[in-house]
Amino acid sequence: RRRLKTLSRKGLPCEIQSFPRGSELINSLMIQLMDEFKNSGSNNVIHRGLFEVRFLTTLSGNAVIVLIYHEAIDETWYEEAKKLSDRLQGVNIVGRSKKKKLVVGDEIVEEQLTIDGKVVKYYQTEGAFSQPNGKVCEKMIEWVLTHSNTLDNKSSDMLELYCGGGTFTAPLSRNFHRVLATELSKSSVELAIRCFESNEINNIKIARLSSEEFTEAYNNNIYYNRLQQADINLKQYDFKVVLVDPPRAGLDPLTCKLISQFDTIVYISCNPETLARDLQTLIITHDVIRLAAFDQFPYTHHLESGVVLKAKITNNNKTFPIKRKLDE
C-alpha cells in the first residue's frame, strides 16, 4: 500500500511521479490514476474532495485502489467510479467518506504465493493487515517451514498467536498434527477461514481472541464463549511449538510468560527494538538457535526478523544452554 502524495523535508506536499521501489502494478496504476485526475479536472466527482489514495496489489496481478474523501460520496460517485474502473482494465475501486463506503468490483483480492514449490492461496482486503512484500514473504514462510519441520512435530500441535489472514498458518499446517490459531481482528479471521477452505486444509482451528485473552483461557482463569463457538477444547491440544507475529509493540509480559512454557518458539518481528526487549525475557528459559533478517522494505530502516528459540535442557532444577550454531 502506498499513498499518492508524500511530504518533503520542509513539510510541504510533493507529487510522486513514479514508485519503482514498490510493485510494478502499483507503479503503473499510480501513473494512470494521476493522468486520469489531470484529464478530468478538479470539478469531476472522482477528483472533488479527494485527499488520500491507497493501493493494494498482489503478485497474482489483482489490485484495489482506495479513494478517501473529505466530502460525502454518493451514487453519482459510484457511476463515475465504474467508468474509471473500466478505463483502468477493471481494477477494483473502494470509495470512503465519513461513515460511508462504496465498492466497485470486489474489496477482497486473491494472492497466490509459491511455498516450497506449492501454490498457496490467500485473501487480502484494504484495511486488514497483510504482508506487503510478496516475494520476501515467500522466503520468510519457507524459512519458518524449514525450521519447524521435524519428525517430533508431526504428531504434536502448534499454537499461533496473531495469525492475521493465515499467512504462516496455512503452509505450516503440513508440519503438525493440528494447529490452533488466534487473531483478534474479525476481518482477518474471516480472511483466514477463507484461506484454509480454499486450500482444503482441515487441521486448523481459529479463535477470535487477543493474545491476552488466550493466555487467560489457557491458564484456566477465564473461559470465553468464542472458544466454544469454534468447537475448541484447549485440553485436547499437545502444543510443542508456538509461533508469534506480534505488532510493532511486541509481546505483553503475560504472553511472554505463556510462550515460555513451550518447547520451541518461533518469533516473527517487525520491530527489532521490541524483539530485543522480549528476547531478554525469553532467553531465561530458551536459547536462540536460528536467526534471520528479511528486508521487506528496501531502502528504509524497517526490518523484519525471524528467531527460533529452543527450551534449555534442565536437570535438577539447573538450566543448561544448548550449544548450536546460528544461521549465518
Side-chain angles (χ1 to χ4, degrees):
R1 301 180 183 88
R2 291 293 182 268
R3 294 182 178 181
L4 185 63
K5 291 188 177 181
T6 186
L7 297 179
S8 69
R9 291 181 179 178
K10 295 182 180 180
L12 300 175
C14 59
E15 187 177 43
I16 302 298
Q17 295 290 345
S18 63
F19 188 61
R21 295 175 183 171
S23 76
E24 293 181 3
L25 188 52
I26 286 180
N27 201 48
S28 172
L29 288 173
M30 181 180 288
I31 294 171
Q32 293 178 65
L33 194 59
M34 286 192 294
D35 288 341
E36 286 283 343
F37 291 156
K38 290 175 183 178
N39 295 331
S40 65
S42 59
N43 289 326
N44 183 279
V45 66
I46 295 293
H47 200 178
R48 189 167 60 245
L50 178 68
F51 78 95
E52 186 175 322
V53 179
R54 299 174 182 173
F55 296 88
L56 170 63
T57 63
T58 71
L59 296 178
S60 309
N62 298 310
V64 178
I65 297 176
V66 185
L67 306 176
I68 304 176
Y69 295 85
H70 284 302
E71 299 180 5
I73 57 176
D74 53 21
E75 292 304 315
T76 302
W77 177 93
Y78 181 80
E79 293 302 320
E80 289 299 319
K82 286 171 62 177
K83 296 176 185 177
L84 175 62
S85 173
D86 291 339
R87 293 195 296 271
L88 297 178
Q89 293 80 49
V91 69
N92 304 292
I93 298 178
V94 176
R96 285 186 176 276
S97 62
K98 189 174 182 180
K99 297 182 179 180
K100 191 158 189 178
K101 178 175 74 173
L102 296 176
V103 179
V104 175
D106 196 341
E107 61 183 321
I108 297 176
V109 292
E110 181 181 287
E111 173 66 293
Q112 294 186 7
L113 301 182
T114 302
I115 313 299
D116 280 352
K118 297 181 180 180
V119 175
V120 182
K121 296 179 182 178
Y122 295 97
Y123 297 91
Q124 301 176 1
T125 185
E126 66 92 15
F129 175 80
S130 59
Q131 295 287 349
N133 191 322
K135 284 300 182 182
V136 174
C137 186
E138 288 178 337
K139 300 302 182 183
M140 290 175 58
I141 297 171
E142 289 177 345
W143 183 82
V144 175
L145 196 62
T146 297
H147 296 301
S148 66
N149 187 14
T150 67
L151 292 176
D152 290 341
N153 290 339
K154 296 292 184 180
S155 59
S156 63
D157 304 322
M158 184 187 83
L159 169 66
E160 181 179 3
L161 307 179
Y162 315 94
C163 77
T167 302
F168 292 97
T169 327
L172 279 173
S173 64
R174 70 182 77 158
N175 282 355
F176 299 91
H177 177 227
R178 291 177 301 184
V179 175
L180 174 59
T182 70
E183 170 59 48
L184 183 60
S185 166
K186 185 177 181 180
S187 59
S188 293
V189 169
E190 292 172 350
L191 294 173
I193 292 173
R194 184 170 175 178
C195 166
F196 306 151
E197 292 176 347
S198 179
N199 291 287
E200 299 181 346
I201 301 172
N202 55 23
N203 66 334
I204 302 174
K205 287 190 176 182
I206 185 169
R208 193 169 69 85
L209 296 173
S210 68
S211 62
E212 294 88 350
E213 289 172 335
F214 179 83
T215 300
E216 292 173 336
Y218 190 80
N219 291 331
N220 295 318
N221 293 327
I222 296 178
Y223 185 79
Y224 290 92
N225 289 331
R226 279 167 283 170
L227 288 171
Q228 184 177 12
Q229 292 167 359
D231 192 27
I232 295 172
N233 184 349
L234 295 179
K235 295 181 180 179
Q236 294 179 351
Y237 285 87
D238 178 26
F239 297 122
K240 292 291 193 300
V241 177
V242 57
L243 185 148
V244 293
D245 184 8
R248 292 186 59 79
L251 300 174
D252 65 274
L254 289 178
T255 301
C256 265
K257 184 176 180 181
L258 169 73
I259 67 175
S260 296
Q261 302 176 38
F262 303 114
D263 182 66
T264 302
I265 301 170
V266 181
Y267 193 137
I268 304 298
S269 169
C270 59
N271 186 345
E273 293 182 359
T274 53
L275 171 63
R277 180 202 67 198
D278 293 342
L279 286 178
Q280 292 302 310
T281 298
L282 297 175
I283 61 175
I284 296 172
T285 56
H286 288 67
D287 288 310
V288 175
I289 61 170
R290 295 286 186 271
L291 175 64
F294 303 91
D295 194 2
Q296 285 262 28
F297 306 95
Y299 308 103
T300 75
H301 68 280
H302 296 287
L303 188 67
E304 201 91 2
S305 307
V307 181
V308 179
L309 301 100
K310 192 76 173 176
K312 296 177 186 288
I313 299 172
T314 58
N315 184 17
N316 295 328
N317 296 323
K318 293 183 178 181
T319 300
F320 302 91
I322 301 173
K323 295 182 179 180
R324 299 188 182 177
K325 294 182 179 180
L326 299 182
D327 291 347
E328 295 182 355

